[in-house]
Amino acid sequence: MKKVLIADDEKNMIWAIKRALKNEDYTIITASNGKEAIDNVKLHEPDLVLLDLKMPEMNGLEALKNIKNEFPNIVAMMMTAHGSVKTAIEAMKIGAIDYISKPFDVEELKIQIRKALDIREMSDTIDYLTEELRNKTGKRIIGESKELKNVLNIVNKVAPSKATVLITGESGTGKELIANAIHFNSDRAKKPYIKVNCGALPENLLESELFGHEKGAFTGAINKKLGRFERADGGTIFLDEIGEIDLNVQVKLLRILQEREMERVGGTETIKVDVRIIAATNKDLFKMVEEGKFREDLYYRLNVIPIEIPPLRERKDDIKLLIDYFLDKYSKELGKKEFKITDEALDTLKDYEWRGNIRELENVIERLVILSENNLISKEKLPKEILNIRDELNEFKLPSSGINLEEVEKNLINQALKMTNFNQTKSAKLLGITRHALIYRIEKYNIDIKK
């Protein structure tokens, strides 16, 4: 329930406003002067402050200055029977978002209060929403391969639900784009969408960022801070690199998933949040559970709807589409004519393993567009590392006596496992296959991994 503070020295006016807002879902707090208004703001932390201009002890403008100094994000409206353009401009400069003159129409007042509260709700997430709503990211998912279509089919099914989603895949495969597509195709699309890179923040800062903190909770906490979960209330939070979260923070995250409630750091108030969680990782969380590095209960809470993004080397049918897209993108950005690519260059790029996936491909294409002296991408212009890999592949020769392909495959899998100290995810990456494909082959060849 939203809290509205009404500050006016006229009891009849307070009574009239309270009566007008009787059927609205607000908690009404009152004050009879500016100083009392400041005290009540500190005590109740209202969502909206409605200040009369003329009040004893301290007028509305002075009260507004004091409130804004200590609570810069608070939303305030001014009201007066002595309104003028000059005082309205002064109030706006101090930080009031609206101004209403007495006597006022009750319905007009209700509308202005609703608008002000909408601004309050948006203020903590506007920076995030502006960037995300600029482009409906589903349009940027490029590809027509069977593998990608399978992923998008899951996205279409899960987006309308409230289910928690865990997106897995190698770095650069487009996990964030899939998360964006889920949010923007859900009924929360117009609500906050908050992203957190869990691997970019140390444990103490991550906890404060996720759950917020109270004033004085720790050294440097000079003001109360809303956490990302509060900012995302009603919408979606995307937790990228979820495997980097410390065990202590995992406990709090588990509580939100189970109970939909939390406390700020240094606080005692239980805060309810309605947030859909989408998490992503390039790590093997199940293996982390086995190693005691990730909570098993949290893993199963996150893994309600698993979506595995295939690496680019497993969706080679999409490589040409991606190349065309990036050639068009960077030629336009750099003001160059339309680029073409030779068949030989395209075949070489298709054969490359793309360990960095789409991100690596994009970087290569951007480099080619920048450095190219004409508008044709030929094989000779490709980076040396790509050409060298192609040459290495061509060096493998089939002996005239033939080979046992299964023995070769088994031998390569054993080599990869030993090179990575039996880390299945890293071994799969070395071999250019998914972890699931590797596990299938380990079982097929009865390879002993209990080393």
Side-chain angles (χ1 to χ4, degrees), residues 181-224:
I182 292 170
H183 170 73
F184 286 118
N185 285 283
S186 73
D187 57 5
R188 296 172 181 248
K190 295 183 179 179
K191 295 297 179 70
Y193 180 36
I194 307 299
K195 298 180 180 182
V196 186
N197 186 332
C198 302
L201 295 167
E203 177 193 348
N204 57 333
L205 288 180
L206 179 62
E207 185 176 8
S208 174
E209 280 296 317
L210 290 177
F211 309 109
H213 63 250
E214 297 291 349
K215 182 178 180 181
F218 50 83
T219 304
I222 56 175
N223 289 306
K224 181 182 76 173

Side-chain angles (χ1 to χ4, degrees), residues 141-357:
I141 298 175
I142 309 298
E144 295 180 353
S145 65
K146 180 183 72 174
E147 294 80 6
L148 183 61
K149 285 180 179 178
N150 288 339
V151 169
L152 295 180
N153 184 44
I154 298 173
V155 169
N156 289 334
K157 289 178 179 178
V158 74
S161 74
K162 296 180 181 180
T164 303
V165 179
L166 178 62
I167 306 170
T168 58
E170 296 176 8
S171 178
T173 49
K175 295 186 290 294
E176 184 176 338
L177 289 182
I178 296 300
N180 294 344
I182 292 170
H183 170 73
F184 286 118
N185 285 283
S186 73
D187 57 5
R188 296 172 181 248
K190 295 183 179 179
K191 295 297 179 70
Y193 180 36
I194 307 299
K195 298 180 180 182
V196 186
N197 186 332
C198 302
L201 295 167
E203 177 193 348
N204 57 333
L205 288 180
L206 179 62
E207 185 176 8
S208 174
E209 280 296 317
L210 290 177
F211 309 109
H213 63 250
E214 297 291 349
K215 182 178 180 181
F218 50 83
T219 304
I222 56 175
N223 289 306
K224 181 182 76 173
K225 177 180 178 178
L226 297 185
R228 303 291 183 96
F229 275 100
E230 282 186 86
R231 292 177 178 179
D233 192 31
T236 305
I237 190 165
F238 174 50
L239 302 176
D240 200 6
E241 296 189 36
I242 191 74
E244 302 294 335
I245 290 184
D246 186 88
L247 287 168
N248 293 328
V249 180
Q250 289 178 29
V251 175
K252 285 195 169 187
L253 182 55
L254 178 64
R255 184 184 175 197
I256 284 188
L257 281 162
Q258 289 178 331
E259 309 296 337
R260 301 294 170 181
E261 63 184 29
M262 49 161 273
E263 282 97 33
R264 300 188 192 105
V265 176
T268 57
E269 179 189 1
T270 298
I271 300 163
K272 291 283 187 180
V273 287
D274 171 24
V275 178
R276 182 188 196 166
I277 296 176
I278 302 174
T281 183
N282 59 8
K283 292 192 172 184
D284 185 344
L285 290 189
F286 189 76
K287 184 174 178 60
M288 290 181 67
V289 169
E290 292 177 333
E291 295 171 346
K293 297 177 181 177
F294 202 86
R295 292 182 62 98
E296 184 176 13
D297 45 8
L298 177 58
Y299 171 72
Y300 287 114
R301 284 282 181 178
L302 290 170
N303 200 37
V304 176
I305 305 291
I307 299 179
E308 183 178 359
I309 313 299
L312 187 55
R313 59 185 170 276
E314 292 184 12
R315 37 180 286 215
K316 290 185 180 291
D317 291 345
D318 293 335
I319 290 178
K320 185 180 186 304
L321 292 173
L322 287 162
I323 289 171
D324 291 342
Y325 173 79
F326 292 131
L327 282 175
D328 180 66
K329 174 184 175 181
Y330 288 108
S331 61
K332 286 179 179 177
E333 284 186 10
L334 296 165
K336 294 191 174 186
K337 293 180 181 178
E338 183 181 354
F339 271 74
K340 301 291 184 182
I341 184 168
T342 66
D343 291 341
E344 191 178 22
L346 180 60
D347 289 341
T348 303
L349 292 175
K350 281 185 175 181
D351 285 341
Y352 184 59
E353 289 300 300
W354 299 112
R355 300 296 180 188
N357 292 291

Side-chain angles (χ1 to χ4, degrees), residues 375-432:
N375 300 93
L376 182 66
I377 305 297
S378 61
K379 179 183 175 181
E380 294 72 27
K381 292 181 180 179
L382 299 181
K384 288 182 179 179
E385 62 268 24
I386 293 178
L387 293 175
N388 290 342
I389 290 291
R390 179 65 178 264
D391 291 340
E392 287 176 15
L393 289 172
N394 289 336
E395 287 177 8
F396 285 98
K397 300 295 183 181
L398 180 67
S400 57
S401 58
I403 60 169
N404 184 321
L405 188 58
E406 289 192 346
E407 283 299 322
V408 172
E409 187 174 48
K410 182 178 179 180
N411 183 273
L412 289 172
I413 290 171
N414 273 312
Q415 287 185 52
L417 288 167
K418 288 175 182 177
M419 286 174 66
T420 62
N421 197 25
F422 294 89
N423 183 304
Q424 293 178 9
T425 301
K426 291 180 180 178
S427 297
K429 192 171 182 179
L430 280 177
L431 295 166

